[in-house]
């Protein structure tokens, strides 16, 4: 047994904190952290509304930030923790980045990369369902609130 | 017959000029212009090497720039001219942007969105093959030069 507080749940909780920041800003609440050697090297949350930019998904920003940190464009030995299953665009970016591990909380049965058939890099290992309930509840809360405001 | 110099070839030539700038910078030569009402509102060329960022494809930068110009994130009534068939990431971004028209020059049989099965938005019309020879030749020239340097 590995005696470390730095397990998948620990990092997914950090990604959820990012999602909560997005929620407070009125954005679809999705958050990301990118981790290498148990260290967070990038964080991000969805900013598509604030930036008026469909490319401003949490994953895209974090891929750029992590590459800046590493000084290279490939995210080898990195793990991305994201609260929602990535879409085609973000999975396509992770394909180019050749990320080693992708861990997501909630699945996206409509626009997730698995449903859309997007290919990740053959080197990328995928895990999902970590803190799925918390991530889903935050998304549901957002859409209920949005519906009531309209 | 429409008497205007602003046909597909005119705009693809502008995208090719962007690709040539990428070539001069040592980047895989791909260029883009985004057009609305016969007016170019965004230009871009691949900058993945210079920026050390896999997300810095010409299309991604141009989607952001066009949205900034329009003040909204949807590229309705816009046409993107791009010298190479978009990849999964860029096609995924165009899906979110709901772009009206996509025109590309050369196909990418390996990593193009059609081979990869990426879905564009149902509203997006696609045309290809405009100035395909010029775009392909520039790409070939780049890869030959790169091979000789290594």
């Amino acid at each position: 047994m590995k005696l470390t507080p730095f397990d998948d749940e620990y990092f997914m909780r950090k990604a959820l904190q990012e999602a909560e920041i997005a929620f407070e800003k009125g954005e679809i609440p999705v958050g990301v952290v990118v981790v290498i050697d148990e260290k967070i090297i990038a964080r991000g949350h969805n900013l598509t509304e604030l930036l008026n930019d469909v490319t401003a998904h949490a994953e895209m920003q974090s891929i750029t930030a992590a590459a800046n940190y590493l000084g290279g464009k490939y995210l080898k030995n990195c793990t991305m923790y994201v609260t929602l299953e990535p879409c085609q665009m973000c999975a396509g970016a992770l394909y180019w980045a050749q990320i080693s591990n992708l861990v997501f909380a909630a699945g996206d049965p409509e626009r997730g990369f698995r449903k859309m058939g997007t290919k990740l890099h053959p080197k990328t290992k995928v895990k999902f369902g970590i803190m799925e309930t918390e991530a889903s509840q935050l998304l549901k809360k957002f859409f209920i609130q949005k519906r009531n405001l309209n």
Side-chain angles (χ1 to χ4, degrees), chain A:
Chain A
M1 190 185 159
K2 205 176 166 196
L3 285 170
T4 164
F6 303 119
D7 57 6
D8 284 339
E9 200 175 306
Y10 174 87
F11 290 115
M12 192 59 85
R13 201 173 295 279
K14 299 292 181 188
L16 263 168
Q17 287 170 4
E18 287 294 318
E20 278 156 13
I21 299 172
F23 181 92
E24 294 302 325
K25 292 179 178 171
E27 300 279 352
I28 296 178
V30 182
V32 166
V33 296
V34 178
V35 174
I36 190 166
D37 295 333
E38 302 192 334
K39 184 177 167 183
I40 294 174
I41 60 168
R43 299 166 193 270
H45 52 268
N46 179 33
L47 284 173
T48 48
E49 296 303 320
L50 264 170
L51 298 180
N52 254 334
D53 185 351
V54 297
T55 76
H57 282 192
E59 298 96 317
M60 301 302 285
Q61 299 174 61
S62 306
I63 290 168
T64 300
N68 278 345
Y69 176 88
L70 295 171
K73 64 192 162 104
Y74 299 114
L75 304 186
K76 288 172 185 173
N77 306 315
C78 289
T79 300
M80 175 179 284
Y81 292 87
V82 52
T83 58
L84 180 66
E85 181 182 350
C87 71
Q88 300 187 112
M89 169 181 71
C90 296
L94 290 168
Y95 170 93
W96 289 122
Q98 303 185 20
I99 197 158
S100 296
N101 299 287
L102 168 65
V103 185
F104 62 88
D108 183 346
E110 284 187 26
R111 285 163 168 180
F113 75 91
R114 294 174 301 173
K115 167 75 186 301
M116 301 298 261
T118 315
K119 277 122 201 131
L120 292 174
H121 196 274
K123 286 178 195 157
T124 305
K125 292 192 199 85
V126 181
K127 208 189 269 191
F128 55 92
I130 314 291
M131 302 194 75
E132 185 180 356
T133 310
E134 291 85 342
S136 295
Q137 275 172 350
L138 185 63
L139 283 158
K140 273 180 203 146
K141 191 172 135 192
F142 174 82
F143 286 111
I144 288 167
Q145 196 181 76
K146 206 182 163 198
R147 198 164 50 221
N148 292 344
L149 284 173
N150 287 342

